Amino acid sequence: MFAPPRRFHASPSATVSARFGLPCTVYMGAVDVERQQPNVFRMRLLGSEVFSVTAGAATLKDAMNEAMRDWVTNVSDTYYIIG
């Protein structure tokens, strides 16, 4: 799982995950999903799950919170990456 910062590092993470056959889940605020449609399309094409977070202001902060919630419930088999 991954909560992308403003300079958008989720696409490279999705690419590396696809290359090595690893699952990749990306959490993005709904605002960023709209703004970054080409990157979202590319990540989905590579096999990543992209979750559009609508909680709160639907921005990076909210996506990071959602990704952290997921990570702490799956800590034994999950890595949290942030650029």
Side-chain angles (χ1 to χ4, degrees):
M1 93 200 60
F2 183 77
R6 294 284 177 214
R7 287 186 48 219
F8 212 79
H9 294 100
S11 289
S13 296
T15 302
V16 170
S17 294
R19 170 64 178 94
F20 291 103
L22 300 170
C24 181
T25 305
V26 178
Y27 287 87
M28 293 178 70
V31 171
D32 294 324
V33 168
E34 283 300 315
R35 201 170 48 86
Q36 295 287 340
Q37 274 302 318
N39 289 327
V40 172
F41 177 76
R42 185 178 311 114
M43 289 183 294
R44 287 185 173 144
L45 210 67
L46 290 166
S48 292
E49 269 187 288
V50 180
F51 288 106
S52 179
V53 176
T54 57
T59 59
L60 173 64
K61 175 187 168 291
D62 304 301
M64 290 178 66
N65 289 340
E66 197 64 34
M68 190 66 72
R69 276 189 208 97
D70 187 344
W71 178 66
V72 298
T73 58
N74 301 293
V75 73
S76 63
D77 65 349
T78 304
Y79 293 95
Y80 181 84
I81 303 171
I82 186 165

